[in-house]
Amino acid sequence: LEGDDTNATKHDSEADCALCDAGTHGPTRGATSKSDCIECGHGTVSGEGAEYCSACDAGTYVNTSSNSCEAW
């Protein structure tokens, strides 16, 4: 909407964005706060700044201390 900034957030640079921690993801690009990040669901992992969480392969589990998939 031209001239209407009520439903938009302006980002002048990448520094305006907050990276989500490992084990969480941003539901949209350009989060302005880590409080916008959502924890990954059971059986999924993510790295820092992820937009989504990835499922672990069959025969592996999520090691919550390292936020990685590891073999049984």
Side-chain angles (χ1 to χ4, degrees):
L1 297 173
E2 190 173 315
D4 182 4
D5 292 335
T6 57
N7 292 319
T9 302
K10 291 184 177 181
H11 296 287
D12 296 324
S13 72
E14 202 171 291
D16 292 341
C17 299
L19 289 179
C20 292
D21 293 329
T24 66
H25 68 98
T28 61
R29 285 186 171 183
T32 56
S33 170
K34 289 190 180 205
S35 66
D36 295 332
C37 302
I38 299 168
E39 191 171 324
C40 289
H42 183 72
T44 63
V45 295
S46 71
E48 181 182 42
E51 290 183 55
Y52 57 90
C53 299
S54 301
C56 290
D57 292 332
T60 64
Y61 70 97
V62 176
N63 180 332
T64 55
S65 63
S66 65
N67 187 53
S68 62
C69 299
E70 296 186 7
W72 292 101

